[in-house]
Amino acid sequence: MTFTASRIEITPTEAALGAVITGFDVNSVEPEVILQLKQAWRDRHLLIFKNQILTEDQLLAFANYFGDILQQPAYIRKGETEEYLPPLVLTLANAAPEESSVNIRPNYQELLPHIDHYWLPVPSSGSFLYAVEVPENGPNTYWVNLAQAYDELDDATKEQISGLQVRYFNSYGSKDRDEYGQPKYADGRAPELGERVAIHPLVRTHPDRGKKILFFNAASDVDIVDYDHVEGAKLVAKLQEHIKQPRFAYRHQWSKGDLLYTVADLKGKKVAYARGTALTYFLAKALEEVGLKFNDVQGVNLTVADGQAAFLNKTVDAYVAIDPTLIKLQQEGTIRVLRDAQGIKTPGSFYLAAREFASNNLELFKAILEEYYQVGEWANQNRQAAAEILAPKLKVDVPTMKTMLSRRKYDMQPINEQVLQDQQQVADLLYQLKIVPKQVDVREATLTSEQYAAIIPDSIRNKA
């Protein structure tokens, strides 16, 4: 069954837990929607929000709706002497660079099933995971419904574990990356230097729902307090096998439908672009290089400004952006660039004039083009000064204008046979896509080769 609240849809999975949230923007939240989400969280234990692009501040702001943010305690890391206070948002990875906040299970080992923050006296009520980078075909991540796992224990086991307490050992931050081993039964052992220890009841009662859950962390060394060593080891092994049963779990594969990482992920998605412009050509070529046809995406014809608004309002999944808008969005960290124009030969810009005027004023055009060329060369060599001149004209700040200039080079090339062939390919493509209504012969709109030769500035001729 699908429940609709305001503009969102909450669709439970067919597994023991989990619900997929669609039609929702984490950055624009209504109070009644939060109430619906909290109820869905209680009922389904796990909420999956698709196609969200967030900064750390936006992630924290959304998490705050569900409770206070946990500040993990400071500790001294392996090989260091100064205390380290973990940030509120941790980078979790299994093969991260040294500067990453946390690197668990190194060398691409799979992260073991675990309960977050079990090593604290009062564990957190939940965790927010935001996928930054995932493998091409995965990974599989799964969650376990520990309330159902407790409910389906036999009566004898429920009686056996009633009142038992478990001591958990956590070596987080105290070991080198290649020292992590498999968890084991650790009856009576003393904590290692820097190791955290917490004691929790094996059966806990959920504070909101009042249901009993099996509070068992399979990724830690464990010790059942004041319990026979042999029987404790057997019980731990039994519980480990019990919670591995597929009927308690929801397995989620981070698919290309969850996050758009490549142009190929756009298949079937809504993409905004300015029809009939160089942006159309860029989109077509970008799709072509990954084996997609233009109609494999749902093209939405919008101006650049309207495309941006549609994208930010999430009425389209992606859009073809240009500077300075692209720079601003990149600076805000709210977008993911799937493909830039590097390697795609876009049509370029052309100086246009009425044919009769151009034919009768060849020397004038030569002087104009020479001046344009020299101004462009100056701008290439004086980007800061050029940015200060252009910024107020384009109504952008100087740093943004300088970034725009750093991404381009002012240049001028004569129109030759290769240019005409390239332009004809563009015209043919736009005709095939039914963007222009009839076949266009580019040469009908050009001067003769002799006329072009007459207007080529000497500096360009000499450069060539």
Side-chain angles (χ1 to χ4, degrees), residues 273-283 302 304 320 347 426 430 435:
Y273 67 100
R275 187 178 176 88
T277 67
L279 306 185
T280 306
Y281 179 80
F282 167 75
L283 176 60
L302 294 172
V304 173
V320 184
V426 174
L430 296 180
I435 291 174

Side-chain angles (χ1 to χ4, degrees), residues 169-302:
F169 298 83
N170 178 27
S171 58
Y172 169 59
S174 67
K175 291 182 178 290
D176 288 329
R177 291 174 178 165
D178 58 357
E179 293 181 11
Y180 293 95
Q182 294 295 320
K184 57 185 179 297
Y185 191 64
D187 180 27
R189 81 164 171 84
E192 299 177 4
L193 181 64
E195 192 172 38
R196 296 186 178 97
V197 177
I199 296 177
H200 295 293
L202 186 51
V203 179
R204 302 192 65 158
T205 301
H206 193 279
D208 284 340
R209 294 174 58 83
K211 289 180 65 71
K212 290 184 177 181
I213 65 171
L214 183 62
F215 194 80
F216 183 72
N217 191 76
S220 171
D221 289 1
V222 299
D223 168 23
I224 299 181
V225 178
D226 299 326
Y227 204 73
D228 178 78
H229 175 76
V230 175
E231 292 302 314
K234 290 180 180 178
L235 177 58
V236 166
K238 177 181 178 180
L239 294 178
Q240 285 177 332
E241 288 302 313
H242 178 68
I243 64 174
K244 290 179 182 178
Q245 299 301 312
R247 67 181 182 276
F248 304 136
Y250 169 67
R251 183 177 292 274
H252 178 71
Q253 182 173 16
W254 296 93
S255 68
K256 292 182 177 180
D258 297 325
L259 296 170
L260 302 179
Y261 279 105
T262 69
V263 174
D265 299 338
L266 293 175
K267 186 174 183 178
K269 304 294 185 181
K270 290 183 178 180
V271 182
Y273 67 100
R275 187 178 176 88
T277 67
L279 306 185
T280 306
Y281 179 80
F282 167 75
L283 176 60
K285 301 305 286 187
L287 293 171
E288 180 183 292
E289 71 179 8
V290 297
L292 294 180
K293 297 178 180 178
F294 199 77
N295 59 7
D296 283 333
V297 302
Q298 300 180 53
V300 181
N301 179 25
L302 294 172

Side-chain angles (χ1 to χ4, degrees), residues 131-153:
V132 176
E133 183 178 5
V134 296
E136 180 72 16
N137 297 314
N140 287 321
T141 306
Y142 68 94
W143 291 264
V144 175
N145 186 335
L146 292 177
Q148 183 176 335
Y150 173 80
D151 287 342
E152 294 195 20
L153 286 170

Side-chain angles (χ1 to χ4, degrees), residues 3 7 92 140 184 284 301 314 328 331 336 342 373 383 400 405:
F3 302 92
R7 295 182 301 276
L92 299 175
N140 287 321
K184 57 185 179 297
N301 179 25
K314 298 188 182 298
K328 183 175 182 294
Q331 290 171 340
R336 178 179 292 109
Q342 294 293 326
Y373 178 75
R383 297 191 185 279
T400 297
L405 294 177

Side-chain angles (χ1 to χ4, degrees), residues 39-57:
Q39 185 58 53
W41 189 26
R42 294 186 189 100
D43 294 340
R44 300 299 300 169
H45 312 294
L46 167 70
L47 302 181
I48 299 170
F49 300 86
K50 293 193 173 187
N51 293 325
Q52 304 291 328
I53 299 178
L54 306 174
T55 63
E56 289 191 2
D57 288 341

Side-chain angles (χ1 to χ4, degrees), residues 119-132:
W119 40 267
L120 291 173
V122 180
S124 56
S125 59
S127 296
F128 284 78
L129 301 177
Y130 176 65
V132 176

